[in-house]
Amino acid sequence: LSISQTVSASCPVVMTPSRVVVQYGDAFTVECNSTTDQKEGMGWESNYKGTGLVEADHVPLNIEKVDRWAIQSQCYVNLNNGTQCSKSLPITVYMNFRLWYRNYGFECAVANVAPVKKVLVTWIKDNNSTVKECLTEESNEKPGNCRSDFTLSAQKTDNGGTLMCEAKFDFGPMGPNLQPIRSPVMDLQVLCKYFDHVSKFSSDVTMHSTNGKLTLDCTAQGNPTPQYHWQVPQPTQEKVGSGPILDLKGPFPGTYNCTAANSQGSSVKQFVITDAPSKIIPSISFLRISLFSCKCYLLS
């Protein structure tokens, strides 16, 4: 009969390694050495493949295949004074990642992994990264699922960017540094009516024609690329196309409306051309009827 002593740092046993992080299905070995010769023997107490009392200075714990999630093991030594002391071996069993990526909703889901509470997810947008915890309802060491959400407010500067998620274990400085698992890269496409007419004219600007010609520029930026529609005064003999540039041959006077439109909206740019009073040079004033706005939608 031996009297058990409270676990303390003074217990003369040394375990190598002092902790174990092992993948489910793999094997591991831990050597327990005694630092005293005042003992009757030593051994491993475990809920999984322990050893009996061994009259030796060291005893190994050999696990050929880990097939359970919660393993409690401790190395003990029976001393000559009739007492027993022990040290517990921290054991973490993990299962590697299998993840999928939802194209809409920005959710990174990690499936059938253990231990879930050791998982961190990094979101990588372009060259910027954000580390988030992987949310789960699991509370034990068995394999479970977790997820991480990422919120992105679509801006026109996001168009053409990239987004991915990366999952890895965080076992701390004493644990193994396992390679992270990355999702496929998502290419971001922002659909937006952010019409910004490249050519801007102030009111009452006189434009000089060359050889009786005048050019009106309605070029705008947007995604998808806008389509153009011109409304010109009658009778005007100009052949009106569907592009952003309108080349005029006199006479010029009248109101010219250019509509730039895509699936997200439209904007009108208006040119009002009148004859200059002192010269046969038309003057042109510009009026933006519709103020440009940004209403963005993010597609993947």
Side-chain angles (χ1 to χ4, degrees), residues 57-77:
D57 292 329
H58 60 87
V59 58
L61 176 66
N62 292 314
I63 305 297
E64 296 180 355
K65 183 179 180 180
V66 175
D67 57 8
R68 65 173 58 188
W69 299 102
I71 301 177
Q72 289 86 38
S73 299
Q74 57 184 2
C75 180
Y76 67 90
V77 58

Side-chain angles (χ1 to χ4, degrees), residues 181-229:
I181 303 297
R182 284 189 173 185
S183 71
V185 177
M186 172 187 285
D187 295 319
L188 303 179
Q189 181 186 9
V190 178
L191 299 184
C192 188
K193 177 205 164 185
Y194 49 84
F195 289 126
D196 185 8
H197 289 280
V198 175
S199 179
K200 297 181 175 67
F201 301 102
S202 301
S203 300
D204 302 324
V205 172
T206 299
M207 297 190 65
H208 299 279
S209 62
T210 303
N211 298 326
K213 295 181 180 180
L214 194 64
T215 298
L216 304 183
D217 189 350
C218 185
T219 302
Q221 296 175 341
N223 191 36
T225 301
Q227 302 294 316
Y228 300 92
H229 174 71

Side-chain angles (χ1 to χ4, degrees), residues 47-272:
N47 65 345
Y48 186 58
K49 299 184 178 180
T51 69
L53 182 66
V54 179
E55 294 182 5
D57 292 329
H58 60 87
V59 58
L61 176 66
N62 292 314
I63 305 297
E64 296 180 355
K65 183 179 180 180
V66 175
D67 57 8
R68 65 173 58 188
W69 299 102
I71 301 177
Q72 289 86 38
S73 299
Q74 57 184 2
C75 180
Y76 67 90
V77 58
N78 288 352
L79 302 175
N80 289 338
N81 62 6
T83 63
Q84 182 189 82
C85 69
S86 63
K87 285 185 178 180
S88 295
L89 174 68
I91 301 175
T92 300
V93 181
Y94 72 90
M95 178 174 286
N96 221 333
F97 300 101
R98 281 182 278 173
L99 57 80
W100 67 90
Y101 192 89
R102 292 188 178 178
N103 291 333
Y104 306 97
F106 302 103
E107 176 182 286
C108 190
V110 182
N112 198 31
V113 63
V116 179
K117 60 184 178 181
K118 296 291 186 180
V119 177
L120 288 180
V121 172
T122 301
W123 287 90
I124 304 171
K125 181 182 178 296
D126 300 329
N127 295 321
N128 301 314
S129 60
T130 302
V131 179
K132 292 192 174 185
E133 63 178 326
C134 205
L135 303 177
T136 183
E137 296 180 357
E138 304 291 339
S139 58
N140 53 39
E141 286 78 14
K142 293 183 178 181
N145 303 329
C146 66
R147 77 174 201 281
S148 176
D149 300 322
F150 184 81
T151 302
L152 177 63
S153 299
Q155 304 292 331
K156 64 181 181 180
T157 53
D158 294 321
N159 190 51
T162 59
L163 182 66
M164 75 177 83
C165 68
E166 176 184 276
K168 68 176 297 184
F169 284 118
D170 181 15
F171 292 122
M174 300 295 292
N177 186 18
L178 302 178
Q179 289 296 316
I181 303 297
R182 284 189 173 185
S183 71
V185 177
M186 172 187 285
D187 295 319
L188 303 179
Q189 181 186 9
V190 178
L191 299 184
C192 188
K193 177 205 164 185
Y194 49 84
F195 289 126
D196 185 8
H197 289 280
V198 175
S199 179
K200 297 181 175 67
F201 301 102
S202 301
S203 300
D204 302 324
V205 172
T206 299
M207 297 190 65
H208 299 279
S209 62
T210 303
N211 298 326
K213 295 181 180 180
L214 194 64
T215 298
L216 304 183
D217 189 350
C218 185
T219 302
Q221 296 175 341
N223 191 36
T225 301
Q227 302 294 316
Y228 300 92
H229 174 71
W230 287 90
Q231 290 179 310
V232 300
Q234 298 294 336
T236 298
Q237 304 301 319
E238 301 302 324
K239 182 179 179 180
V240 179
S242 58
I245 306 297
L246 182 61
D247 291 318
L248 299 176
K249 296 179 182 179
F252 304 101
T255 299
Y256 296 78
N257 291 324
C258 173
T259 301
N262 64 14
S263 59
Q264 308 305 307
S266 63
S267 181
V268 177
K269 186 173 184 179
Q270 186 178 84
F271 304 86
V272 179

